[in-house]
């Protein structure tokens, strides 16, 4: 059997989330969740890739378990045209080199699907948490840029900062880099050139920003958070100008989290960006003993309510 190989740079891939080429010209997945989609004809698709951890593979809409041997993934199907979807969740990672089809067959670009993109902290990062469940329930493409303990504003947050970093980076800086905060420095700025543009962006930040007491209020943190959030959304909107934003309110509020998020939302709307404020604080999500994160049932309810909200917004 003659195999025709197509390098990843020439394959008609649909990429969701953060992907970037390394020095070996491999296409690498980054952050909490990234997806790729490709179509092919024939009865076999070979994928030459470096695979760390487990990845989810669906063939023609059905979950499948491909044969993987020495970095080669073997996808078998009945003769015809097929669609392949791969999802990579952190800490797993995929480094795609090439794809192979039988000599007379070809790779196909699949039709664009609805695409939802999540930005957040540990609540959004949790797997299988509300973001993953929401994407699966909506049956759409999804990706997740999130990190435990991260704030929106640089210098705030609660994660252990990397060595040789004077100021803990917030999402306003890290979003535009390939790596997680602990994987640098140095960090790699990534290009948006091959990425699909999201239809919806769900932002769930503020829990790790310093908005927890009256001292934070008196120090002007509400205004600082709102200003930085507006600038952050505007900067992303330059890359994804047609996306509609959903700004989620915090599940818990020690002092002025939701006041700050509401102020940020007002500034975002005033700047002309299409956005909605999601009242997640009213959804009665069960919170764990740490006082911040949902319980397993809480994550399920958060996803259920968000799916209902998004369906209603989309007229379904």
């Amino acid at each position: 059997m003659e195999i025709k190989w197509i390098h990843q740079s020439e394959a008609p891939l649909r990429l969701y989330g953060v992907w970037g080429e390394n020095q070996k010209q491999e296409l690498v997945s980054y952050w909490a969740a990234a997806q790729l989609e490709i179509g092919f004809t024939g009865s076999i698709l070979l994928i030459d890739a470096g695979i760390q951890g487990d990845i989810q593979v669906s063939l023609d809409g059905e979950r499948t378990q491909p044969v993987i041997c020495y970095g080669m993934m073997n996808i078998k199907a009945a003769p015809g045209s097929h669609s392949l979807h791969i999802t990579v969740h952190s800490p797993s990672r995929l480094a795609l080199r090439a794809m192979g089809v039988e000599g007379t067959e070809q790779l196909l670009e699949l039709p664009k699907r609805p695409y939802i993109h999540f930005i957040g902290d540990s609540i959004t990062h949790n797997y299988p948490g509300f973001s993953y469940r929401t994407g699966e329930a909506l049956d759409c493409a999804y990706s997740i840029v999130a990190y435990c303990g991260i704030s929106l504003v640089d210098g705030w947050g609660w994660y252990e900062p990397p060595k040789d970093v004077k100021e803990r980076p917030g999402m306003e800086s890290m979003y535009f880099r390939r790596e997680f905060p602990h994987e640098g420095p140095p960090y790699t700025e990534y290009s948006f050139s091959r990425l699909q543009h999201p239809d919806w962006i769900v932002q769930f930040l503020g829990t790790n920003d310093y908005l927890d007491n009256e001292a934070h209020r008196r120090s002007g943190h509400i205004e600082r958070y709102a200003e930085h959030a507006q600038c952050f959304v505007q900067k992303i909107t330059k890359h994804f100008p047609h996306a509609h934003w959903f700004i989620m309110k915090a599940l818990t509020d020690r002092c002025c989290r939701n006041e700050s998020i509401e102020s940020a939302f007002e500034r975002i709307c005033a700047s002309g960006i299409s956005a909605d404020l999601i009242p997640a604080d009213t959804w009665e999500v069960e919170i764990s003993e740490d006082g911040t994160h949902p319980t397993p049932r809480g994550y399920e309810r958060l996803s259920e309510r968000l799916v209902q909200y998004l369906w209603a917004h989309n007229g379904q």
Side-chain angles (χ1 to χ4, degrees), residues 229-231 233-234 237 264-275:
Q230 177 192 0
C231 291
V233 170
Q234 287 179 317
T237 300
F265 172 72
E266 291 172 0
R267 293 183 65 131
I268 290 166
C269 291
S271 71
I273 292 172
S274 175

Side-chain angles (χ1 to χ4, degrees), residues 226-266:
E227 178 183 356
H228 284 243
Q230 177 192 0
C231 291
F232 176 63
V233 170
Q234 287 179 317
K235 190 174 180 181
I236 296 175
T237 300
K238 290 180 180 179
H239 297 283
F240 303 135
H242 303 298
H244 183 83
W245 286 76
F246 295 93
I247 309 299
M248 294 184 68
K249 295 180 69 174
L251 300 178
T252 59
D253 191 352
R254 297 176 182 173
C255 178
C256 50
R257 285 178 188 167
N258 282 325
E259 184 180 349
S260 302
I261 293 170
E262 289 170 357
S263 179
F265 172 72
E266 291 172 0

